[in-house]
Amino acid sequence: MNHWTYLPFLLVWALPVILIQWLVGWRYLWRERGQWIWIVPGLCIYFTLADAVAIKAGIWHFDTQSLIGLWLGPVPIEEVLFYLLTAMMLVQGFVITWRGNKS
Amino acid sequence: MTYAGFLLLFLLIPLGILVGFLRERLLDRRYLTIAGILTLVALIYMAPWDHFAAIWGLWSWRNSHSWGIRWWAIPPEEYLFCALEALLAITLTFAILTRNERHNNLSVSKSSSNKNSNNTYLAPPPENTCHDKTITPTSPSSTHNERADRENAS
C-alpha cells in the first residue's frame, strides 16, 4: 500500500487537536461536561444518517481497499468516527473559547 | 440528489431553523467572532487533509452529482459542508450553553426583585454593614484605621 488508509489518516489528523484541547482547556471542558457532552454523539448520529443518504444517492463513495471493512449499513465505521471526532473538535473548541475569554 | 441538494437538506435548513429559533441571541459579538474564527480554522485544517485523501483516492465525488469544479482536489461543496458543519455544531453548543446562562440570570433577577421591588440589588451594600464591621472587637485594627483615615480625609 503506497498511501495511508482512512483510519490512521483520520486518527493522526484529529487526535492531536483533541489532546491539545484537553491540555489547554480541561478545566472548562470538565466543569461544563454535563452541558456539552451529549451534543457530540447527537451530531455524530445525525451526520451518520445524513452520510448514509449521501452514499446511497451516490454523491460520494469510498475506496473499499482503504477501509477496515466494518460498516453501519452503507456507512463505513471510519466515517462514523470522522463525525464523532469532528463534532468533538468543534464543540470542545467552542466551549473552551466561549468559557475561556469570558468578559 | 446532488451534493448541493444534500447541503440544503441536511445543513442549511437545520442551521436556518436554529438561527430562526435563536434570532437576536445570535447578535452577540463574542459568539460571532468565535464562530467566524473557528469556522475559518476548521476550513484551513480540513483542506490539506481532504486534498490528500482525494488524490490518494480514499474517497471521491461523482461529477454528475456535484458542480464538477475542484479547488485543489476538493469540490466547493465540500468546503461548504465543512463550514456549515462547523457553524451547526458551534451554534448548537452556543444555544445550549447560553440557555442555561439565561435560566440562571432569570432566576437571579427574579429572586432579587421578589425581595426588593425597587430592583436595588445592583446598588452598593448599605453603609452600616461597613460600620458594624469596624466596631466589632474581632475585626483587625487595620480596618478600623483605614476607616478612620478615610473619615479624616473627608
Side-chain angles (χ1 to χ4, degrees), chain B residues 65-133:
Chain B
H65 290 68
S66 70
W67 296 326
I69 307 162
R70 294 286 185 276
W71 296 343
W72 264 358
I74 311 164
E77 292 100 318
E78 186 86 343
Y79 293 95
L80 284 172
F81 186 175
C82 174
L84 291 170
E85 186 196 348
L87 285 174
L88 196 60
I90 289 164
T91 309
L92 192 61
T93 312
F94 168 78
I96 289 170
L97 290 184
T98 55
R99 175 207 60 181
N100 291 324
E101 271 172 20
R102 259 159 49 106
H103 273 286
N104 292 342
N105 291 345
L106 277 177
S107 55
V108 165
S109 55
K110 221 176 176 179
S111 62
S112 21
S113 60
N114 282 348
K115 270 186 247 160
N116 195 332
S117 57
N118 287 335
N119 214 15
T120 52
Y121 67 101
L122 285 172
E127 188 58 28
N128 66 337
T129 329
C130 186
H131 184 71
D132 289 343
K133 217 176 174 186

Side-chain angles (χ1 to χ4, degrees), chain A:
Chain A
M1 180 104 7
N2 60 357
H3 64 71
W4 291 63
T5 55
Y6 192 169
L7 187 63
F9 191 52
L10 171 66
L11 296 178
V12 161
W13 177 71
L15 290 182
V17 175
I18 290 165
L19 183 71
I20 290 167
Q21 286 179 331
W22 275 92
L23 282 175
V24 171
W26 65 271
R27 212 173 271 111
Y28 306 113
L29 292 174
W30 185 251
R31 196 183 65 199
E32 305 284 341
R33 65 192 184 282
Q35 297 206 49
W36 64 265
I37 202 94
W38 295 105
I39 307 173
V40 173
L43 285 172
C44 174
I45 292 166
Y46 176 73
F47 280 112
T48 300
L49 291 172
D51 202 79
V53 174
I55 292 167
K56 281 283 184 194
I59 298 170
W60 57 73
H61 54 95
F62 299 91
D63 170 30
T64 48
Q65 296 287 305
S66 303
L67 302 172
I68 56 171
L70 286 172
W71 301 74
L72 266 181
V75 184
I77 203 78
E78 289 93 333
E79 194 75 343
V80 180
L81 197 59
F82 167 81
Y83 290 116
L84 187 76
L85 295 174
T86 49
M88 270 181 99
M89 290 194 274
L90 291 164
V91 171
Q92 293 183 166
F94 183 78
V95 171
I96 295 167
T97 42
W98 182 256
R99 291 297 186 220
N101 68 30
K102 191 132 183 90
S103 45

Side-chain angles (χ1 to χ4, degrees), chain B residues 12-29:
Chain B
L12 265 179
I13 290 175
L15 189 61
I17 292 170
L18 197 55
V19 168
F21 176 71
L22 294 168
R23 282 190 291 189
E24 67 272 16
R25 276 170 66 190
L26 291 176
L27 299 175
D28 177 313
R29 189 189 280 182

Side-chain angles (χ1 to χ4, degrees), chain B residues 18-70:
Chain B
L18 197 55
V19 168
F21 176 71
L22 294 168
R23 282 190 291 189
E24 67 272 16
R25 276 170 66 190
L26 291 176
L27 299 175
D28 177 313
R29 189 189 280 182
R30 209 155 58 89
Y31 157 75
L32 293 172
T33 310
I34 293 173
I37 291 171
L38 286 183
T39 303
L40 198 65
V41 169
L43 279 168
I44 292 168
Y45 196 60
M46 172 283 283
W49 183 77
D50 209 339
H51 171 75
F52 278 106
I55 57 174
W56 288 339
L58 293 189
W59 52 78
S60 47
W61 305 270
R62 290 214 172 83
N63 276 341
S64 56
H65 290 68
S66 70
W67 296 326
I69 307 162
R70 294 286 185 276

